[in-house]
Amino acid sequence: MKPVSLTQYLTEERRAGYGDTDLIQLLEIVARACKRIAVATGKGALGGVLGEAGTADSISMNIQGEAQKKLDVISNEILLDANAWGGHLAACASEEMEHPQQIPDAYPRGGYLLLFDPLDGSSNIDVNISVGTIFSVLKRPGGHRGKVDTSEFLQPGTNQVAAGYVVYGSCTLLVLTLGHGTHVFTLDREAGSFILTRRDVQIPEDTSEFAINMSNQRFWEAPMQRYIGDLLAGKEGPRGRDFNMRWVASMVADVHRILTRGGIFSYPLDSKIKAKGGKLRLMYEANPMSFIVEQAGGAASTGRGRIMEVQPEGLHQRVPVILGSKNEVKAAVQYHTDA
Ligand code: P6P
C-alpha cells in the first residue's frame, strides 16, 4: 500500500474538518523542528551536546530549578526559531522558560498557542536512553489580540486542539492526535519524512504491567501504597494475578510502551513533592499525554479527577498522574475514591 506521509494525513484530516490550514502548518513545522532535534540528540558525544548547559562553575538552571542539559537549551531554541515566522502562532510556552515567548513583532501573530517540553527525560541523554519532545496546542481565547498574556494559556486540557510527542529512540516516532484518534508516524531518515505506520491506536483496556518509581514508595499517599502493594502481592493477593514492572524514567518512553502494548503509568503525589503539587507538569506533559492516551481509548486521572478537566492556575503547575489502560486506571482511582 502507498505510504501516507504526515503532510497527506494532515491534509486529509483538514478536508474531514479536523484542523485548519494554520494548525496543519503549525504541526508540520513542529514535526520538522523535531527532526532537527533528532539529529542533534543523535550526534551524542560527537556533537559536543552532552552534559550540562552553562559553564563549569555555574550550571544553568531552568524555571523548575533543574539543571539544564545542553540539549534542553538547543531543543528549546530549535522549536522557538522554527515557530517564529509562520504567522500561525501567538506565543510559545516551554518547560525551559519562566514566561511565554511572544511571536517577534517582525512577524504576523496567529491564533494558536503552542506549549512544549522540548526534551523530556533529558537526565537520560548522557546514558543514551530514549528521550522525547512533548507538545500541546491551544487556541488563543476569543477576542484576544496583541501580546499574549500568560493567563491565555491557562485552559483545561479538554481545550487542546492537538497534542503529540516525538520519541527519539531506535526509531524516531511522532505520535499525534487532533482529537480524531491517535496515530503513529515513523521517520524515514533517508527521505526525511514522517510516514503513517499505525492509524488509530487502541490501548488494551486491561494490563498486567505497571510503571512507577518504586524508590518513592514510602512517601506515597496511603491509597497509592495500597494499590501498588496489591499489584506486588500478585496471584496470592486481591488482584489474583502477577504483575510486571517497567520504569524508564522518561515519560515519553514509558507512555509509548503503554500506547503500544498497554500498561499503567503513575507519578503520584508523595510527601517530598506534595507542596509542589506533584512531579509532572500539567500544561506540557500531563495534558498532552492525557489527550493522546484518551484518544487511544485509555484514561488519565490525577487520582481524584480527570487530568484534562483540571483548571490550570499556573503555567508550570504540577499534577499527580495515573494514565494508561482504561480498566487499570479505573482500578487505581477506586483505591483513592475508597479512601
Ligand atoms: P524520576 C523526566 O525528568 C520526567 O520529567 C519524566 O519524563 C519521567 O517520567 C520522570 O521525570 C522521572 O522521574 O523521579 O523517576 O527521575
Side-chain angles (χ1 to χ4, degrees):
M1 191 166 78
K2 188 176 166 307
V4 172
S5 68
L6 175 64
T7 304
Q8 181 179 344
Y9 167 78
L10 290 173
T11 304
E12 289 168 354
E13 284 300 282
R14 184 169 52 78
R15 274 194 210 120
Y18 294 90
D20 57 23
T21 45
D22 274 357
L23 178 62
I24 301 312
Q25 180 190 9
L26 164 56
L27 295 172
E28 292 257 33
I29 285 172
V30 169
R32 205 170 302 130
C34 289
K35 284 191 278 189
R36 291 189 55 213
I37 295 172
V39 169
T41 51
K43 283 196 166 64
L46 299 176
V49 292
L50 297 183
E52 258 73 32
T55 58
D57 52 11
S58 72
I59 291 174
S60 72
M61 308 297 275
N62 65 13
I63 165 70
Q64 324 286 341
E66 296 160 345
Q68 279 185 312
K69 299 283 188 182
K70 285 178 191 160
L71 275 169
D72 283 322
V73 178
I74 292 167
S75 305
N76 196 57
E77 288 306 315
I78 288 173
L79 282 159
L80 292 176
D81 294 348
N83 282 286
W85 46 266
H88 49 280
L89 270 189
C92 292
S94 165
E95 177 188 89
E96 300 302 328
M97 304 184 304
E98 183 171 4
H99 303 294
Q101 171 110 345
Q102 304 290 335
I103 292 302
D105 292 339
Y107 301 117
R109 208 172 265 125
Y112 286 106
L113 302 173
L114 176 66
L115 304 96
F116 49 79
D117 181 354
L119 205 60
D120 180 69
S122 51
S123 56
N124 288 309
I125 290 170
D126 298 351
V127 295
N128 200 32
I129 289 176
S130 297
V131 291
T133 298
I134 310 172
F135 61 91
S136 171
V137 184
L138 294 167
K139 273 192 189 306
R140 193 171 186 186
H144 287 249
R145 290 290 166 268
K147 290 239 185 270
V148 175
D149 184 80
T150 300
S151 61
E152 297 182 55
F153 283 90
L154 304 185
Q155 304 177 40
T158 47
N159 284 13
Q160 292 174 98
V161 292
Y165 62 79
V166 176
V167 49
Y168 309 109
S170 44
C171 301
T172 297
L173 301 177
L174 165 67
V175 176
L176 180 65
T177 184
L178 280 74
H180 184 216
T182 290
H183 315 282
V184 183
F185 300 80
T186 302
L187 180 63
D188 173 341
R189 291 187 174 125
E190 282 73 26
S193 60
F194 279 107
I195 303 298
L196 179 63
T197 45
R198 197 165 164 210
R199 192 187 283 267
D200 206 12
V201 175
Q202 290 301 313
I203 300 175
E205 294 189 350
D206 296 296
T207 184
S208 297
E209 192 162 73
F210 67 97
I212 196 164
N213 181 338
M214 286 299 293
S215 70
N216 295 322
Q217 183 174 21
R218 63 189 186 284
F219 302 115
W220 296 333
E221 297 179 309
M224 188 51 80
Q225 299 231 14
R226 257 200 319 283
Y227 168 64
I228 297 294
D230 286 352
L231 300 188
L232 292 171
K235 270 203 283 286
E236 294 71 39
R239 300 301 304 268
R241 70 179 194 274
D242 290 341
F243 283 75
N244 191 16
M245 197 204 100
R246 288 284 181 276
W247 185 249
V248 184
S250 174
M251 188 182 195
V252 176
D254 279 314
V255 169
H256 191 70
R257 184 190 58 254
I258 288 166
L259 214 65
T260 306
R261 71 183 190 209
I264 184 166
F265 168 100
S266 184
Y267 212 107
L269 216 50
D270 72 47
S271 53
K272 292 185 283 118
I273 54 175
K274 194 175 179 79
K276 290 184 183 174
K279 161 89 176 187
L280 300 175
R281 274 63 58 152
L282 173 64
M283 297 305 295
Y284 39 78
E285 288 175 332
N287 267 341
M289 288 308 202
S290 299
F291 193 16
I292 289 163
V293 163
E294 286 197 6
Q295 283 292 314
S301 171
T302 62
R304 292 172 172 81
R306 187 179 172 213
I307 285 176
M308 291 213 293
E309 289 174 1
V310 173
Q311 176 51 52
E313 288 158 14
L315 195 55
H316 302 290
Q317 173 176 341
R318 297 163 186 258
V319 287
V321 173
I322 305 172
L323 62 75
S325 293
K326 183 164 60 175
N327 294 339
E328 197 52 43
V329 170
K330 197 169 162 199
V333 170
Q334 192 58 48
Y335 282 74
H336 293 75
T337 312
D338 293 350

